[in-house]
Amino acid sequence: MSSFKERLEKAHAELQAQGVWLSNYKPPMFSLLRMLGIKVPPPYYIGFHLNAIIAFWYFALIIFLVMYFGILGSSDTFQTAMDKALLWGFVYGMGMAVFYTIRRRKLSLSDWSSL
C-alpha cells in the first residue's frame, strides 16, 4: 500500500500526462487543505459529494466576504450577503462537482485506491 504522498505524486503525474492544467488538478483550496494537514486527493479522484462540499464552502466564503464587506462596491447586509453566498456557493459547488465527474470519466483515470 502506497503512502498518501506517493499516491498524490502518481495522481499528479497521471493528470499531467493526460494534459490536465495544473490549476485544474491542484486548485488552491486543495493545496490549502493539504497545508492544514488534511489528506485530500486531487478533485478528479474524490466523489461527487465531497467535490460539491469543498467547492461550496470555498466559493461561498469568498462570495460572503466580497458581498458583506463591499469589496466590489456597495456592501450588503449580513443576511443578504449570506443568502447570496449560499445560493452561489451551491451553484458553484454543483457545477464543479459535475465538471470533475464528467472529466474523470472522459479521461479514464485510475481509481485513487489503485495508485
Side-chain angles (χ1 to χ4, degrees):
M1 181 157 207
S2 302
S3 72
F4 176 79
K5 189 173 181 178
E6 290 170 346
R7 282 185 180 174
L8 186 61
E9 289 170 2
K10 288 178 185 176
H12 285 172
E14 181 179 33
L15 289 163
Q16 191 174 22
Q18 290 284 351
V20 177
W21 293 352
L22 177 67
S23 60
N24 278 350
Y25 69 79
K26 196 176 177 186
M29 187 60 188
F30 283 73
S31 297
L32 177 63
L33 290 171
R34 287 188 205 110
M35 284 183 355
L36 295 172
I38 300 170
K39 294 180 178 179
V40 60
Y44 288 92
Y45 295 92
I46 59 177
F48 180 88
H49 294 98
L50 189 54
N51 262 326
I53 290 168
I54 291 171
F56 167 81
W57 284 110
Y58 168 68
F59 198 72
L61 177 63
I62 291 171
I63 291 297
F64 174 77
L65 294 172
V66 166
M67 295 295 150
Y68 186 67
F69 292 109
I71 295 171
L72 296 178
S74 63
S75 61
D76 289 335
T77 65
F78 180 84
Q79 187 61 47
T80 304
M82 185 64 76
D83 291 345
K84 288 179 182 179
L86 292 174
L87 172 67
W88 290 111
F90 177 78
V91 170
Y92 180 78
M94 294 304 286
M96 291 309 295
V98 167
F99 169 79
Y100 284 121
T101 300
I102 290 170
R103 288 282 291 158
R104 177 173 166 47
R105 289 184 186 146
K106 197 173 189 179
L107 295 172
S108 301
L109 298 172
S110 306
D111 289 330
W112 178 253
S113 59
S114 67
L115 291 175

